[in-house]
Amino acid sequence: MKRNTLREKLNAGIPTLGTRIQSTWASITEIIGYSEAFDYVEFLAEYAPFTPFDLENIGRAIELFPHFSGMIKIPQQSRFELALRGMNAGIQNMLFADIRTPADARECTDAVRAESPCAGGQHGVGHGRDSEIVREIGSPAFLQSTKDSVIAIMIEKKEAIENLEAILDVPGIDMVQFGPGDYSMSIGQTGNRNHPAVREAEEYMIATALKKNIIPRAEIPAPDAAEKYLNLGVKHFCMQTDTVILYNWYKKEGKTMKEILGKI
């Protein structure tokens, strides 16, 4: 069974860094692995088109790098199915979107942890890459892999902030991330991510998570955005998405080149 290096680093208190992709081309995952700059790659299944075969190819690409792990972002209506599919494909860690209540959080942990008295979930025995196809079906190693999966949740709705303490009391939640876009929309400040109420909610989430020994993660566009989070006690980050990286490059460098051509 592949080691879950993200879990190992969290358990050891080591800061972690991830990056996000929407591309299902496995070579993009390999490029990120070859960079040796990131601890894991997060596939945004909430937004990108994909097939189960795509997930398996991403999982195989992750396994090329001993230091590397994977995560998949899961939309609210697909929690059980997509958690199962992602883990079957060899993507070990989960980020669940649109959590509002403790019941939502329990649904996430149930989808990941095995249906065993020592794990307390509803995840059954599978025949996927998380079971080495046939070699670890229903084995103690498979059971342990479901316990090692990192469960992260998005706190991005007004209702989630109102229920935050109860949500974070659900056993099995490892990591939380604030979503300013969704949160600003849920309080009637659509697009105003820097509204004082949005910033206040994010800081409240971080402080509450740290109080309850839950790991807060911040999504940042570039390293110079990390300082304010470091000052709040955040040690875990995820940087940028492949589509945003490409857009920014095309916009900046393409515009510069067009200006050069305009002078001819």
Side-chain angles (χ1 to χ4, degrees):
M1 303 286 284
K2 175 176 168 55
R3 291 165 48 209
N4 191 334
T5 53
L6 178 58
R7 167 61 69 189
E8 291 174 1
K9 289 171 182 174
L10 297 188
N11 287 350
I14 299 171
T16 61
L17 179 63
T19 188
R20 313 174 90 187
I21 59 171
Q22 294 194 67
S23 173
T24 57
W25 185 28
S27 292
I28 300 299
T29 295
E30 288 188 52
I31 289 169
I32 296 167
Y34 284 128
S35 77
E36 298 185 356
F38 296 93
D39 299 299
Y40 63 100
V41 63
E42 177 189 330
F43 176 63
L44 298 177
E46 185 181 16
Y47 313 125
F50 64 92
T51 70
F53 294 105
D54 294 324
L55 297 183
E56 286 203 359
N57 286 331
I58 292 171
R60 290 189 182 96
I62 290 167
E63 286 192 5
L64 295 173
F65 307 96
H67 72 283
F68 206 38
S69 188
M71 181 177 282
I72 181 169
K73 187 177 185 186
I74 297 174
Q76 60 182 319
Q77 296 301 325
S78 306
R79 287 173 185 153
F80 267 86
E81 179 181 0
L82 198 46
L84 176 65
R85 290 291 186 184
M87 294 169 73
N88 280 174
I91 302 175
Q92 296 167 303
N93 309 297
M94 311 286 127
L95 172 63
F96 293 93
D98 299 319
I99 303 305
R100 294 176 176 82
T101 66
D104 290 340
R106 282 191 294 272
E107 187 174 276
C108 298
T109 59
D110 283 349
V112 175
R113 307 293 187 229
E115 190 160 351
S116 165
C118 68
Q122 296 181 12
H123 190 111
V125 171
H127 293 244
R129 300 187 64 255
D130 54 344
S131 301
E132 295 186 352
I133 311 301
V134 295
R135 298 196 302 171
E136 296 287 353
I137 296 172
S139 71
F142 167 77
L143 170 61
Q144 185 61 45
S145 74
T146 74
K147 295 168 71 175
D148 287 341
S149 289
V150 174
I151 299 176
I153 61 173
M154 296 295 301
I155 299 298
E156 53 189 342
K157 307 294 185 183
K158 181 176 183 288
E159 189 176 359
I161 287 293
E162 293 170 347
N163 292 320
L164 183 61
E165 296 226 11
I167 289 171
L168 297 188
D169 284 338
V170 173
I173 301 300
D174 297 297
M175 180 180 283
V176 291
Q177 179 179 310
F178 188 72
D182 273 275
Y183 187 78
S184 63
M185 185 164 61
S186 76
I187 64 169
Q189 293 290 334
T190 303
N192 192 357
R193 298 184 178 207
N194 292 313
H195 188 277
V198 177
R199 299 276 65 86
E200 180 183 356
E202 181 174 34
E203 292 185 13
Y204 168 66
M205 185 211 75
I206 291 169
T208 305
L210 291 172
K211 181 180 71 174
K212 291 181 175 289
N213 294 316
I214 305 294
I215 295 167
R217 183 184 85 163
E219 182 184 340
I220 57 174
D224 59 9
E227 184 176 2
K228 72 173 184 178
Y229 291 107
L230 292 169
N231 291 336
L232 292 171
V234 177
K235 299 191 297 182
H236 302 268
F237 294 88
C238 194
M239 289 179 63
Q240 211 49 284
T241 305
D242 54 357
T243 49
V244 177
I245 293 167
L246 288 171
Y247 169 75
N248 289 336
W249 188 92
Y250 293 142
K251 185 176 181 180
K252 179 183 176 183
E253 304 302 335
K255 180 180 179 181
T256 299
M257 191 63 203
K258 289 287 281 185
E259 289 172 350
I260 291 171
L261 293 174
K263 296 175 182 178
I264 296 175

